[in-house]
Amino acid sequence: DAEITQSPRHKITETGRQVTLACHQTWNHNNMFWYRQDLGHGLRLIHYSYGVQDTNKGEVSDGYSVSRSNTEDLPLTLESAASSQTSVYFCASSGPGETQYFGPGTRLTVL
Amino acid sequence: QKEVEQDPGPLSVPEGAIVSLNCTYSNSAFQYFMWYRQYSRKGPELLMYTYSSGNKEDGRFTAQVDKSSKYISLFIRDSQPSDSATYLCAMSAGNTPLVFGKGTRLSVIA
């Protein structure tokens, strides 16, 4: 069955370190998205991509970057992790139409 | 004014009750409307999808869209403890990222 996976599921890192969160989907969807979810803020869009080599900034993109070299993967990089980036991160993908399918999430703690 | 407003709750109801969850929005260009359900420590999962105005029913769930009032609703009939989750509304104008409400936390008490 097609699916979307995220790794790692849990990560603890230190302030200032570079961290990369992986997202992989097997639906062959063109559109992929990264969100963070924090209490009181709901889901906030970080970056998104509508196809290979395409990336766009979302609502809260500062301190994050993405690159899209193939259809299946959209890794999210925190260039220099900050405590304010402690959060739960969700990846999602969508094909034709607007429905997004979410991964299980990565819980990131920055100490 | 935020694009999408959703009462965060929490909402607590007895088993068997009819639940009404709502969102209001300000962007008249929105035409795709969704409801997601999110269990604790899980990713959101699509529950209902509606295009433009009208009603859609799926089992115990009914989604309503009133574009003239910029108001969408999700009704849950015969609510069960397994319906306890956070419900997020989401909407899009098409070819744009979804805009999410902050979610309403629902508890169904047996």
Side-chain angles (χ1 to χ4, degrees), chain A residues 37 40 90 98-100 107, chain B residues 36 38 41 43 46 92 102:
Chain A
Q37 188 174 40
F90 289 102
E98 308 302 311
T99 303
Q100 291 185 18
R107 191 170 294 269
Chain B
Y36 284 82
Q38 186 177 21
R41 295 182 173 267
L46 181 69
S92 166
K102 290 186 178 181

Side-chain angles (χ1 to χ4, degrees), chain A residues 1-4 24-32 50-52 68 70-73 93-96 101:
Chain A
D1 284 346
E3 61 177 356
I4 181 166
H24 179 80
Q25 52 96 4
T26 59
W27 279 301
N28 203 35
H29 284 164
N30 282 330
N31 307 330
M32 296 185 73
Y50 286 152
V52 176
R68 186 91 180 270
N70 59 52
T71 300
E72 296 80 17
D73 299 288
S93 72
S94 70
Y101 298 91

Side-chain angles (χ1 to χ4, degrees), chain A residues 73-87:
Chain A
D73 299 288
L74 186 69
L76 177 72
T77 297
L78 286 68
E79 302 293 345
S80 177
S83 58
S84 60
Q85 294 176 310
T86 292
S87 186

